[in-house]
Amino acid sequence: MRKLIIALAGALVALAAVSAIAEEHDAAAEVRAAVEAFNAAYAGNDVESYFGFYAPEAVVYFYGARQDLAAYEKEWTAMIAAGGAVTKNELSDVTVQVMPGGDAAVATYFVDYGMRSADGETSASKAYESDVWQKIDGRWQVVNIHYSELPGAE
C-alpha cells in the first residue's frame, strides 16, 4: 500500500510539472502573438490599437528618459494626424520569458525602425526593446517598455 501511495504521489507531481510547462508554453505563445500585434499596430500607424496594448499605469522609457504615457499618446496622435508615419518597424531575435504563475512575461527584441516626420523628413535607426507584459482581465498588456537606440546603427 505504501508503494502505491508513493507511486501515485510521484505521478501527481509529474503531472503537475507537465501541466505547468504546458501553461508557460501557451502563455509564451500568447505573449509572442501580442508582441507581433502591438508592433503591427505601431508599424501600421494605428494609434488606437497601438495605445490599446498599454496598461493605464504603464511605465514608458524612450530615448534616455521616462515618458508620460498620456503625453506620448497625445504627441503620437498629433504627429500621425499631421502626416507623419512609421515607415519601417521590423523585429528580430524576439525572445519571451514567462514568469512563474504565467501572468507576467518579458519580451525582448531588436527593432529596425524608420520614420517620416510630418514635414517629410525621414530617419532610420536600430534599437533594442524590452517589454514587460502582464495578463490583466484576461488580456496581455504592456506594463513597462524600455526602448534604447543602438549607437551608430543607422
Side-chain angles (χ1 to χ4, degrees):
M1 182 62 139
R2 183 176 180 169
K3 288 181 183 181
L4 179 61
I5 292 172
I6 291 171
L8 282 173
L12 288 174
V13 168
L15 184 59
V18 168
S19 178
I21 290 169
E23 286 177 16
E24 282 185 22
H25 177 58
D26 290 347
E30 289 174 6
V31 171
R32 185 174 292 275
V35 166
E36 290 172 6
F38 174 63
N39 279 280
Y42 183 74
N45 301 292
D46 183 346
V47 176
E48 186 176 335
S49 293
Y50 172 66
F51 282 97
F53 281 97
Y54 285 99
E57 304 299 320
V59 174
V60 294
Y61 187 92
F62 302 127
Y63 305 105
R66 191 173 181 174
Q67 309 292 320
D68 176 80
L69 182 60
Y72 170 50
E73 182 174 7
K74 184 177 179 180
E75 175 188 339
W76 198 254
T77 301
M79 189 271 302
I80 297 296
V86 174
T87 58
K88 184 178 188 179
N89 192 61
E90 296 176 1
L91 310 185
S92 61
D93 196 24
V94 178
T95 62
V96 175
Q97 297 170 293
V98 178
M99 301 301 111
D103 63 352
V106 176
T108 59
Y109 44 91
F110 290 96
V111 181
D112 193 0
Y113 175 73
M115 187 194 159
R116 181 186 68 245
S117 68
D119 63 7
E121 187 176 323
T122 60
S123 61
S125 62
K126 293 187 186 274
Y128 187 74
E129 187 168 319
S130 299
D131 307 336
V132 179
W133 292 79
Q134 183 178 356
K135 198 166 200 177
I136 301 169
D137 296 328
R139 190 169 154 269
W140 287 100
Q141 292 186 284
V142 175
V143 295
N144 186 291
I145 187 170
H146 185 129
Y147 178 93
S148 294
E149 280 193 5
L150 301 174
E154 286 192 27

